Every structure is written in structure tokens, then in C-alpha cells.
Amino acid sequence: MPAQKTIALPELLALEALIDAGRPYLERHQLGIVNAGEGGGLPLLAVTLGNPDPAVPAVGFFGGVHGLERIGAEVVMAFLASLVSRLRWDSSLHRSLESVRIVFMPLVNPGGLQRATRANPKGVDLMRNAPVQAAGPVPWLVGGQRISAKLPWFRGELGAAMEIESQALCDFVEREMLTHSQSIAVDCHSGFGLADRIWFPFAHTAKPIPHLPEMHALCEILDQTHVQHRYVFEPQSRQYLTHGDIWDHLYMQACGRPNCMLLPLTLEMGSWLWVKKNPRQLFTRSGMFNPLVEHRQQRVLRRHLAWLDFVLRAAAGMQRWLPLPERRAWHEEMALNRWYRGQAAQGFHGAHA
């Protein structure tokens, strides 16, 4: 049988160009091919660089899980482009790469990008596709549904395997990140809301995660390092619960391994900010999730590239800020007071990344 023809998606071509420009420091991984119909297939590409030694921390940057939210993929691609450029001259970056493993999967859902849809070509929402069932009520449809692939937030058929894109992401994270004792992941999305949010698990339950002290310590160094930052750092469960969250699934996979800690974060860019400044965006589907004015897009990229750089530095320096055993109880108490005690869930503010 002849090999499947691949489609020349502009974002994939740009990623291939970055990989070529970053050689020999970058390694290209093809994780599978998405069937995009008669036009051919779309490769699932990932990139790794840095120290593969499991003894060093790992950090991962992901985007494009929802094809309609192009800005998420663009932020991750822009950060990768920045690192590729610095590889030519920045000796401090080369020193940093000795102490951290970095992985990228900027285009998790190339079929959705091609079609400008939230779901993949089969109509499945990849962020509702993992085998995780919510422990409480979820918003109708938004929390994940199995009624029809013609409706948004479709989880996939009951009992079916995960979609090729979801499985490829999970396999990649398990191979490249969960083999390290400590890792941080950032998944970049856009959605409704007037604030940029950084969400951490759980999405399927309001129960605090076992690594709540470590998550609070990370939030603390963000607050101290970037005093003027505008992010709302919180568990996603404060907003609403969902079925099938892929980062809940991977976090629980990590918790099931000895000596393995994964801190997954979702950057949820508040797209209402862009619509508020340019109401005409309401009349285009992509305008609900992406800044359509060029200078505004550049501003968004500048703001969030600083956040991704912070995450990279935090991962490389984890041993300096992770709470010592005698401080974990204090961090947990602070986290419970900040995020869980005396504060009811804030209600639905828009579609999760």
C-alpha cells in the first residue's frame, strides 16, 4: 500500500522549518498521522531538546489541542522560535539545557487547525476524550457529552479508545516526561473570560491534588518574581467540572508511578479582552478565540512568552523552590485557604481550553 500523502498545512511547514533551523540541538519526533480525508494525512509532530537524563527535571509546552484556538499554538511556536534563535548565541541557554529536558508539541490537533474547528476531524473534543469521569455535576454539553459528534464538546463513543491525537500526546508525555522524577507541563488555550488564567488539576473533581503544596510553591515564586502579573492562578474546579480532561488523566498516571511528580498547567487566555476591544470579532467564529488585530496579537505573544520563559526557568531550578518536607504542611494550609476554604466554585466562565 502506498504511503499516505501528507497535507502542507502552513503551521506544520513552519514547525518543520523551526526544527531544521534548530539542528543539531532539536530532535524531531513523528507520533502518528491524522487522517484528514481525501486530501491526505497530517503528521503529529513533537520536538525535544536538552538533557534526556531522567535525573534532571522535564518541562513540556503544548498547543493547538483545539483547532479553533490558533493563538495557543502560535504562543508555543513563538516560544520555540525564540529558543531556536537563542541556540545560536546564548551560552546561558546552553548551560540551562544541561539541567533540564524540554519537549514541545505545538500542534496537537492539526486536523482541527486545518478545518478551523474545536474538535478533531472526527468531531471529538480532545480535552474531553481521556478516560476520566467527573465526580460531580458538569455543565450541560460543556462538561463533555456523548450525544453526538455534531454537537460541541463530544467525548467520543463510550468504550472507544482515545483518539489518535490524544493517545499520541499521552504516549509522548509518558515517554519523555514521566520518566523524569519531576516535570511541569503547560498547555496553551484561549477561551471566554476577561482574565488570563492558569489552571491546574483537578478538572473532574473539587478535591485538592496530592501535590497541592508544590503547586502553591510554584504560584508563590510566580507572585514574587512577576509582582505585576495579571494571571489568575487557580484549580480549574473553582470554575466548573468536566469529564475526560487529558491533564487530569496524565497527572493521575504520574501519581501512580514511584518517584514521579507532574505539575500540569493550562494557560487559558481570556479572549473576551480582545472581543471587548474589537466587538466586530463577535461576527467571526475565529474572532471569539483569537486576537484578529495584528498589534494586539503581538502584545499577547509578548505577554505570554514571558510566562513560558518563567516556567522553563522554574523547571530548571525546581530543587531551589520545591518545599522541603517540613514546609509542605505550611504550603498546603496556605493553598487550602487560598483556593478551597470558604469559597464556593465561581461558576462557568467559558469553554475550557
Side-chain angles (χ1 to χ4, degrees), residues 161-227:
M162 280 197 291
E163 294 298 299
I164 184 173
E165 302 94 337
S166 306
Q167 191 63 61
L169 187 156
C170 289
D171 291 345
F172 181 60
V173 169
E174 289 175 8
R175 183 178 70 249
E176 295 290 343
M177 299 183 69
L178 301 194
T179 50
H180 296 251
S181 60
Q182 299 163 346
S183 58
I184 303 176
V186 178
D187 187 12
C188 295
H189 294 254
S190 64
F192 296 137
L194 288 171
D196 295 326
R197 298 178 183 272
I198 299 167
W199 281 340
F200 62 86
F202 287 123
H204 76 284
T205 176
K207 179 182 177 181
I209 60 172
H211 294 98
L212 189 63
E214 287 75 16
M215 200 64 79
H216 182 265
L218 177 60
C219 180
E220 185 179 59
I221 64 167
L222 172 64
D223 291 344
Q224 293 171 351
T225 307
H226 296 275
V227 178

Side-chain angles (χ1 to χ4, degrees), residues 75-150:
V75 166
V76 178
M77 291 276 283
F79 186 56
L80 176 58
S82 172
L83 293 184
V84 167
S85 176
R86 289 170 56 195
L87 284 170
R88 297 197 303 269
W89 58 268
D90 190 344
S91 59
S92 67
L93 174 59
H94 284 274
R95 289 193 296 271
S96 179
L97 291 177
E98 297 173 3
S99 60
V100 69
R101 181 65 162 171
I102 310 175
V103 307
F104 283 88
M105 193 175 178
L107 308 172
V108 175
N109 182 10
L113 282 167
Q114 182 200 33
R115 297 170 177 232
T117 59
R118 177 182 173 92
N120 74 352
K122 293 169 61 178
V124 176
D125 187 328
L126 303 181
M127 199 49 69
R128 303 291 186 270
N129 186 227
V132 179
Q133 190 75 11
V138 303
W140 187 67
L141 294 183
V142 173
Q145 54 85 15
R146 298 196 193 275
I147 301 169
S148 171
K150 295 181 180 180

Side-chain angles (χ1 to χ4, degrees), residues 16-27 49 83-85 87:
E16 294 277 22
L18 282 175
I19 294 170
D20 287 341
R23 296 187 193 280
Y25 304 105
L26 269 58
E27 184 177 356
L49 68 159
L83 293 184
V84 167
S85 176
L87 284 170

